[in-house]
Amino acid sequence: MMAFLKLLARNQLALVGLVVMGVVVLLALITPLLPLDNPNATDTPARFTPPFSDGALLGTDHLGRDLLSRLMWGTRLSLAVGFAAAVIAATIGAAIGIIAGYYGGRTDNVIMRVVDVLMAFPYILLALAIVAALGPGLMNALVAVAAVNIPFFARNIRGITVGIANKEFVDAARLAGLSNTKIILTEILPNVIPVIVIAMSTTVGWMILETAGLSFLGLGSQPPVADLGSMLGEARSALITNPHTSIVPGVMILIIVMAINLLGDGVRDALDPRLKSGALSRPLPATLVDRDRQPGGPADATALLHLSDLQTQFHVGARVFRAVGGVDLRIQPGECLGLIGESGSGKSVTALSIMGLVASPPGKITGGSVFYRGEELIGAPYEKLRGLRGRRVAYIFQDPLATLHPLYTVGDQLVEAVRSHYNTPRDKARAHAIDLLKSVRIPNADTRVDNYPHELSGGMRQRVGIAMALANDPDVIIADEPTTALDVTVQAQILTLLDDLRHERDVAILFITHDFGVVAQLCDRVAVMYAGRIVEQGTTDEILSSPAHPYTSRLMACVPELGGGRRRLEAIPGLPPMVDNLPEGCAFADRCDKAQDACRRGEIPLDTLGRTRRVRCIDPETEEATA
Amino acid sequence: MGRYILRRLISAVPVLLGISVVVFAIMAMIPGDPALAILGSYATPENMADLNRDLGLDKPMVQRYFIWLGNLLQGDLGRSFNLNRPVLDEVLERFNATLILAGTSFILCSFFGIAAGVLSAANQYGTADKAITFAVLFGISIPSFFLGMMMILIFAVNLRWFPVSGMWPIYGTRDIWSLLDHLTMPALALSVVATGVIARLSRSAMLEVLRQDFIRTARSKGVHERGIIWRHALRAAMVSIIPVLGIQAGFVLSGAVYIERVFQWPGIGQMLVDAILRRDILLVQGGVVFVAACYVLFNIVVDVAQSLLDPRIKT
């Protein structure tokens, strides 16, 4: 509750709304005590006195009545009616909602069908019908506005109640033999009240507006008593000659409703936890690059892609997550490099950083460089990055259902991949799309091309994802766990397909995975990542036969070996460290059997080990391999 | 598709019946002799006898409902004694005027609301976003009838751009231009609140969609940012925007009551308010049932539009 109030107070606009509303309510409460003229005392000779004259600060209306006094009394009446309508609607609506939600079954069904019918009416129309039956008058307008809002509360509260009625503590109360009435009053109601209050705070503005509207039409408060709406309604005939009589009550309604809306928005924002983390931010077209970035380098011109001391961070509130903490990788033309690590090790973020696809905010590239054929990509203009994306460097992502657009056919999405870079005519691009689908071994490609993603199986969808990556014959494909979401047989098919395509088209692959089995099947070289850094790198054979870093060997011990028999599968004890609070020295030290004091001091370099290997450990497992 | 529309039409039947029951029940709340209430000052013994014969007002409530419903289904909504013409004729004529006003407003609020929401989301926290957010807050807070009055004051009285009120010029030809001249201000005034609501929802729907994985995929293909926003994100966001358009259509349709009053637009809202003040009960009953039924049918159109847009909906 305190945290909620604090959040609300931090929202300055909501605070303004709260203060304005407080002042208006206070003035309305003390109106009878103020030295105001009688709001209904007519003085026809002094009609239409302009504002700011003696004795009438806001002027007088068409009967010479003091506008300030009428405004204050009218505000009082409007607020009272609006709040009363809200309270009545909330009470009756909540009662209906609780009964429907708690008893369920037939009761629920009947009540909700009636609510559906009531909600099928255009809102104000139903209020008009009720006023028509009861006759014009302020009390009847109040009843009408309250009545048309009951279904809204009933439906909301029912939803909440259904959730609560199935909780354990309600079952316990039932078993304890409490009566239904008692359970509703002691167990359900206390949990529903906050929701009722919030729903009221967001609808009371509407209720004030609607009762004012009915009064404006002459169906609400009747002369001589006036609320804000009927003041406006009466002033309408003098709008052109004496606009101040309209402006005074109109502005007051505007102020009240705006203050309530500001407050309501503040309440809603304070209650929506997603807004706190900034997760509702829109990702920018390319990842932000920190202006004080230390570029890496120099570029390795022979490599297709060269990552040099790449650093990517996530800034969430005051916390900084160092997802990628200085990564060096080189991918040569035509080679397949595996990047392996547990979830959270930073391998995906590394892959996304290459083409600036890390969501930003909160992501930010804070250091290092990425070179494509010797050209710096970090900090390059957006147009240049866009020109390379999908044309020279393509991506395949993990879950093909979430990563394909659900509302376009796969053909359209393939065509778009081509036409984003080349002015290919539509029919030619479509023919190309069909060829692509054939090349990833999709049967009946010429009919499949018009399917939507949800009409395909998981394996087929991932084939489409691969076809899309191949659309413009890229130099390198970055495959971010492309088989993780698929079942095992399909996984094997996709891996074989990737391996075939790689050799057919001589395309390099950066393959991100957490599975050593996959690495063994596909990759020429492997880099092992832990807590945002490369801890070991080498050819696949070397690393699989004799892992040098303790983490690598522990990670391999987690993989079941087909036909390997009696070996025990070992989980690595402990959890990877949080990357917003990395320990000094080796990040793996806390989980390593061989950890020594020296492991926790200073920076441990990625040392060469033999001709082709590098390892970040002061006591590698395979000392002998150095020779 | 044809079968889907048919299914939706059939499922609307219970709702329409429910609406007729509700309207009938509300009107039955009127105390005293219903024949006397309907006829008011026209309550001569002959008139009352005629009415009792036509509507079965001396029969039990349930029987009265079915007589009324039977007449309703034959297009007979009764007769307005004040206007001395069949209710249906009056309702159709007035509804035509409301449809022009509310329809125009609906197009305006859909177009500007979605455009503002998309621009706001595309420039999140930028100047355009802040300006739009403020304008939206203002738009959803100002009572439409007050806004209409201020528009008359500024654009009709002071600037003389548009006529003060009415639907047609008193003298001169009734062509499309004179209609547009009269329509502009009321249609704008009526659309403001709905535009604000739609803009707000479109903004959050777009922000929600822009975080999805398929947007990242589109970016990884090298799709231009314009294409990301308008082709990929908006298309997906429309799935949650369209139902709100349906709800807002209801608000526009019923909000026309105020705007018709302010601008003296001869629509069904004006008719209803006058009928209520004159206690012309059959006219109110017929008008409410007719508009509510039209709104239910419009919502079927919305559902069909939704199914055309989203191939995942089974048709």
Side-chain angles (χ1 to χ4, degrees), chain A residues 265 282 386 403 413 416, chain B residues 124 200 217 221-222 231-232:
Chain A
D265 291 353
R282 151 214 205 301
R386 189 191 73 78
T403 54
Q413 299 189 50
E416 187 189 35
Chain B
Q124 196 188 14
R200 210 172 231 214
T217 309
K221 290 198 290 189
R231 205 160 58 234
H232 285 259

Side-chain angles (χ1 to χ4, degrees), chain A residues 447-511:
Chain A
T447 53
R448 286 294 188 193
V449 71
D450 293 321
N451 279 158
Y452 289 94
H454 71 275
E455 296 168 333
L456 301 174
S457 68
M460 282 297 157
R461 279 197 286 264
Q462 194 55 293
R463 284 169 195 267
V464 172
I466 295 171
M468 209 145 78
L470 293 173
N472 295 309
D473 263 317
D475 298 329
V476 55
I477 291 176
I478 298 172
D480 188 359
E481 307 217 29
T483 57
T484 309
L486 306 173
D487 67 54
V488 185
T489 47
V490 182
Q491 251 185 45
Q493 292 168 10
I494 295 286
L495 286 178
T496 315
L497 174 69
L498 274 174
D499 202 38
D500 291 352
L501 289 169
R502 168 162 97 91
H503 291 111
E504 279 167 31
R505 300 186 174 230
D506 196 29
V507 55
I509 296 180
L510 174 60
F511 198 97

